[in-house]
Amino acid sequence: LQQDSVKDEL
Amino acid sequence: MNVFRLAGDMTHLLSIIILLLKIRATKSCTGISLKTQELYVIVFLTRYLDLFTKYISFYNTTMKLVFLGTSISIVWYMRYHKVVKQTYNKDQDTFRHYFLAIPCFLLALLIHHEFTVIEVLWTFSIYLEAVAILPQLVLLQRSRNIDNLTGNYVFLLGAYRALYLVNWVYRYFTENHLVRWIPWLSGLVQTTLYADFFYYYIKSWKNNEKLQLPA
């Protein structure tokens, strides 16, 4: 499973 | 950005506006937990460290600054405003910060995506946000009289994370099926904590009665 580290939320 | 995410952000923003309105217009913070408000300041300070390292969008930066500014000003009003601070229910707001903050920090040290300062603090902020409402819920339960603004504030604050949950489901199917366990599970815990409150809030609204939580 891929884990996402993108923080485009608040 | 999808409509659920935007609705979530707007609900969050509206909850804060309602709280500030209550404090400024009525010069009173009865029923509001300073412990919860201080935890939110910690949540925003630790989450938005990337303001200095990463630019995402004008919307993103503006909202982060608004959340930081409003949460700090709410705490300022409750602690230092000469009229407002006298209305603070200090004796009933007894929840200890560190019972929540320390376990969240330890959990962030153990379970995170990447072991860097920014990433661990971001993870800590996600865990802490999930439970930061607890002092507020305890205070509400002890309050015999919950005014409408306070009730609406807590309802909108809970609705915000519920809308984020829908946003994550939507993003999972429309974007690259990315799995984001840390915010998903924390957001689920956060929303679940409100379940009881939602039940009594909706019931009082349907029956046109004053909101009161059973002790």
Side-chain angles (χ1 to χ4, degrees):
Chain A
L1 291 171
Q2 264 179 296
Q3 170 71 262
D4 182 15
S5 70
V6 178
K7 310 289 189 309
D8 60 352
E9 290 174 350
L10 294 167
Chain B
M1 181 161 61
N2 63 66
V3 65
F4 307 110
R5 155 78 196 284
L6 184 64
D9 285 349
M10 290 305 117
T11 310
H12 195 184
L13 187 62
L14 192 63
S15 75
I16 293 169
I17 291 172
I18 285 183
L19 178 54
L20 267 174
L21 196 80
K22 169 190 156 82
I23 292 175
R24 289 182 57 108
T26 68
K27 292 277 178 290
S28 155
C29 63
T30 30
I32 301 299
S33 165
L34 179 61
K35 306 289 169 107
T36 286
Q37 297 305 320
E38 287 178 344
L39 289 175
Y40 283 136
V41 171
I42 299 172
V43 164
F44 292 136
L45 284 175
T46 50
R47 185 171 310 165
Y48 298 156
L49 287 173
D50 64 356
L51 270 172
F52 302 103
T53 59
K54 193 161 55 180
Y55 179 79
I56 295 156
S57 65
F58 176 73
Y59 172 84
N60 207 281
T61 304
T62 312
M63 291 292 275
K64 284 175 179 173
L65 292 174
V66 168
F67 286 150
L68 276 168
T70 48
S71 64
I72 291 168
S73 70
I74 289 165
V75 167
W76 180 85
Y77 269 109
M78 294 185 70
R79 288 183 81 111
Y80 305 114
H81 188 282
K82 64 180 189 310
V83 182
V84 175
K85 74 175 182 192
Q86 287 167 17
T87 63
Y88 168 49
N89 310 82
K90 197 176 179 199
D91 302 336
Q92 290 178 307
D93 191 23
T94 52
F95 211 104
R96 304 267 172 245
H97 297 83
Y98 49 83
F99 278 175
L100 298 173
I102 292 170
C104 287
F105 189 71
L106 294 177
L107 192 62
L109 283 176
L110 287 171
I111 304 173
H112 48 254
H113 176 56
E114 223 178 306
F115 194 63
T116 60
V117 173
I118 286 202
E119 191 68 25
V120 169
L121 287 178
W122 179 86
T123 310
F124 164 68
S125 83
I126 294 288
Y127 295 151
L128 188 62
E129 184 189 343
V131 293
I133 195 63
L134 286 172
Q136 178 63 67
L137 291 176
V138 169
L139 180 59
L140 281 189
Q141 220 164 37
R142 290 173 179 172
S143 309
R144 288 295 90 203
N145 225 331
I146 305 171
D147 62 88
N148 282 334
L149 287 173
T150 304
N152 293 340
Y153 163 69
V154 176
F155 176 76
L156 289 167
L157 199 57
Y160 132 71
R161 218 47 172 176
L163 285 161
Y164 257 68
L165 288 178
V166 184
N167 151 61
W168 291 325
V169 173
Y170 181 85
R171 289 189 77 168
Y172 179 78
F173 289 109
T174 54
E175 292 173 21
N176 302 313
H177 288 249
L178 286 169
V179 175
R180 307 171 71 208
W181 293 114
I182 291 171
W184 287 357
L185 291 177
S186 311
L188 195 62
V189 168
Q190 186 170 340
T191 307
T192 310
L193 290 181
Y194 286 88
D196 202 50
F197 174 84
F198 284 154
Y199 173 78
Y200 291 104
Y201 180 89
I202 293 167
K203 200 169 114 179
S204 80
W205 178 73
K206 271 170 70 179
N207 300 340
N208 224 341
E209 288 166 350
K210 224 167 157 34
L211 175 62
Q212 205 173 51
L213 304 182

